Amino acid sequence: MDFSVVIPSRNRPDLLNQAIQSVLAQTHPAVEVVVADDGSDGDFAARYRQLEARAPAQVRFIHLEKTERGHGPSYAINRGVEQARGTYVCFLDDDDYWVDPDHLRRAWGSLNEGEAPVDLYFTNQDAFVGERLAAEGLWLADLATHVRRGHKADSEGAYTVTTAELMAVCDGRFAHLNTSIVRRELYLAQQGMDENIRYECEWDLYLRLLS
């Protein structure tokens, strides 16, 4: 298995289904989906079981113990990665979805183009408010201008950059978790997400992975 896409979710079956379908639409064949259901409530829990029953074999559900507010995404993601079978782990929020079906196909090409193994692969993403594109400069947007001036793209359009460049050019910004790909061995070696951080946990993970 090349990629495991971990989706933490709680009480949002309709949005979750849209996220799952966007992963299943990927053109790269060796992809699995691991849904970490963080103790969904009542009718929501029943609908998660219905989604699970209808899902193809490449989609697996983990049902976490129910708590009052859920364990939080950091905890759920870590449990998902523990169960993942892919060489690389990807992440997708249950209220987001990928619009590019070739995202993982291109990533796999870049990850395997060189001789040395690649631990981290980041792309930028656009944010929309309704149908309107949000302000530019989010996440890794500033990096694009920098790499196009001083780097050569590989056959898939990706660039090799240094940790120093990521830290300097992005000026405190970070890669969004939805478009971050991490070698599973590295994620586990870093003990994954800090489970004490419930929101925007990817900022802490991003810095530790670069370190």
Side-chain angles (χ1 to χ4, degrees), residues 8 13 35 44 57 76 104 118-119 139 152 177 190:
V35 176
F44 292 119
L104 294 181
V118 177
D119 286 325
W139 301 302
K152 182 179 179 181
L177 199 61
Q190 288 297 309

Side-chain angles (χ1 to χ4, degrees), residues 107-140:
W108 187 249
S110 292
L111 291 167
N112 290 276
E113 186 157 312
E115 296 181 1
V118 177
D119 286 325
L120 298 170
Y121 177 95
F122 300 124
T123 69
N124 205 24
Q125 72 171 16
D126 290 327
F128 285 81
V129 179
E131 298 297 321
R132 181 177 59 83
L133 181 64
E136 297 181 359
L138 299 173
W139 301 302
L140 296 182

Side-chain angles (χ1 to χ4, degrees), residues 25-39:
Q26 290 292 304
T27 56
H28 187 79
V31 179
E32 69 167 0
V33 180
V34 181
V35 176
D37 171 19
D38 193 2

Side-chain angles (χ1 to χ4, degrees), residues 191-202:
Q191 300 182 325
M193 296 283 192
D194 183 337
E195 295 176 8
N196 294 306
I197 303 175
R198 288 185 68 97
Y199 303 105
E200 295 190 356
C201 45
E202 63 261 48

Side-chain angles (χ1 to χ4, degrees), residues 26-202:
Q26 290 292 304
T27 56
H28 187 79
V31 179
E32 69 167 0
V33 180
V34 181
V35 176
D37 171 19
D38 193 2
S40 292
D41 299 319
D43 291 342
F44 292 119
R47 292 179 63 189
Y48 275 65
R49 294 289 184 180
Q50 292 171 0
L51 285 176
E52 182 178 18
R54 297 196 305 265
Q58 71 197 92
V59 179
R60 293 186 289 126
F61 278 68
I62 301 169
H63 299 282
L64 304 181
E65 180 183 0
K66 183 175 175 56
T67 62
E68 183 178 355
R69 296 172 50 241
H71 298 86
S74 297
Y75 182 93
I77 289 169
N78 284 347
R79 303 293 82 76
V81 174
E82 289 170 358
Q83 298 294 321
R85 300 167 182 161
T87 302
Y88 291 92
V89 288
C90 318
F91 314 92
L92 186 58
D93 293 333
D94 66 353
D95 59 345
D96 290 315
Y97 57 91
W98 290 335
V99 297
D100 180 4
D102 290 325
H103 168 51
L104 294 181
R105 179 194 61 76
R106 287 198 314 277
W108 187 249
S110 292
L111 291 167
N112 290 276
E113 186 157 312
E115 296 181 1
V118 177
D119 286 325
L120 298 170
Y121 177 95
F122 300 124
T123 69
N124 205 24
Q125 72 171 16
D126 290 327
F128 285 81
V129 179
E131 298 297 321
R132 181 177 59 83
L133 181 64
E136 297 181 359
L138 299 173
W139 301 302
L140 296 182
D142 293 348
L143 188 61
T145 301
H146 173 77
V147 297
R148 287 167 185 159
R149 284 199 304 259
H151 297 260
K152 182 179 179 181
D154 67 15
S155 62
E156 299 293 347
Y159 299 85
T160 299
V161 296
T162 66
T163 300
E165 286 173 315
L166 285 171
M167 294 299 294
V169 174
C170 296
D171 188 27
R173 300 187 184 102
F174 58 95
H176 196 288
L177 199 61
N178 284 344
T179 53
S180 298
I181 298 175
V182 183
R183 184 181 289 276
R184 181 173 178 269
E185 290 180 357
L186 174 62
Y187 186 96
L188 294 175
Q190 288 297 309
Q191 300 182 325
M193 296 283 192
D194 183 337
E195 295 176 8
N196 294 306
I197 303 175
R198 288 185 68 97
Y199 303 105
E200 295 190 356
C201 45
E202 63 261 48

